[in-house]
Amino acid sequence: MKQIISTSAAQTFSTGQRMAKKLRGGEVLALVGDLGTGKTVMTRGIATGLGVTGRIVSPTFVLMRVYPVKNRGRITQLVHIDAYRIQHAHELLDIGLDDYLGKPDTVTVIEWADRVKKILPRKTITVELDHGSTVNRRKVLIKNRSSR
C-alpha cells in the first residue's frame, strides 16, 4: 500500500503519469472516491503516461471508451470506464467489458469501481482518492494487487 498526498490537480495528473510508467499490460485499475476527488484527472494522467494522444473525457453517458496506446510495447489500448450510472455490474459485461479485462495488451481504468467490485478481477489495483483538509488537497491510496 502506498499513500500520496496531492495538493493540486497537476500533482494528481502527474501521479497518474508515474503510475502508467509501471504498467505492463493486463492491469485493471479501480478508481474509487467521491465526486470531485480527481478520478478523471488521474485517468488523464495514466492515459498521457501510456502515450494516448487526444482528449480524454469521462465516459459517463457512454460508459466505456477505448483509446489506442502508442509506443508502449505490448500495451496497445486503454479502456476507460465510468460506472457512475451503472445500476448493476452485469451492465458492463453486457457491453463487452469481459473482452478487455486482464487482456495483456490492455490497461483498464474504471472510475466509480466500488459500484461494480463484484465483477473485478482478483488482482485489481485499487486507487482510493479522498478529499483532503483543503480545497485542492487529496489523499491518494494505492493498494497494489488487492483482493476483494
Side-chain angles (χ1 to χ4, degrees):
M1 203 164 32
K2 180 177 184 180
Q3 181 174 309
I4 299 164
I5 300 298
S6 172
T7 58
S8 68
Q11 280 187 332
T12 301
F13 181 91
S14 180
T15 298
Q17 283 183 300
R18 285 191 308 277
M19 285 178 59
K21 302 292 183 216
K22 297 176 182 178
L23 301 175
R24 300 292 170 245
E27 292 91 353
V28 175
L29 296 118
L31 276 54
V32 176
D34 291 334
L35 196 62
T37 54
K39 294 179 297 296
T40 301
V41 171
M42 174 75 68
T43 301
R44 287 181 181 136
I46 292 166
T48 299
L50 288 173
V52 173
T53 57
R55 189 167 177 241
I56 305 297
V57 294
S58 187
T60 302
F61 295 101
V62 296
L63 303 181
M64 179 168 61
R65 294 186 190 275
V66 180
Y67 298 97
V69 170
K70 298 179 180 175
N71 304 317
R72 272 305 303 265
R74 77 181 202 175
I75 301 174
T76 62
Q77 58 191 354
L78 169 68
V79 176
H80 180 195
I81 295 163
D82 187 325
Y84 183 74
R85 297 189 180 282
I86 295 294
Q87 296 299 314
H88 303 283
H90 69 80
E91 292 175 56
L92 291 179
L93 300 176
D94 291 345
I95 63 168
L97 177 60
D98 262 354
D99 295 339
Y100 300 104
L101 286 179
K103 196 171 172 189
D105 68 339
T106 303
V107 170
T108 305
V109 177
I110 304 173
E111 295 186 41
W112 298 97
D114 51 323
R115 296 174 183 236
V116 297
K117 61 185 170 188
K118 68 181 179 182
I119 65 166
L120 299 178
R122 172 163 267 200
K123 291 187 175 186
T124 296
I125 299 168
T126 301
V127 181
E128 294 177 4
L129 295 104
D130 292 311
H131 289 289
S133 56
T134 61
V135 172
N136 291 318
R137 189 175 174 91
R138 300 289 184 269
K139 180 174 73 172
V140 180
L141 188 61
I142 303 167
K143 298 176 180 178
N144 287 321
R145 305 293 184 209
S146 66
S147 59
R148 296 182 285 166

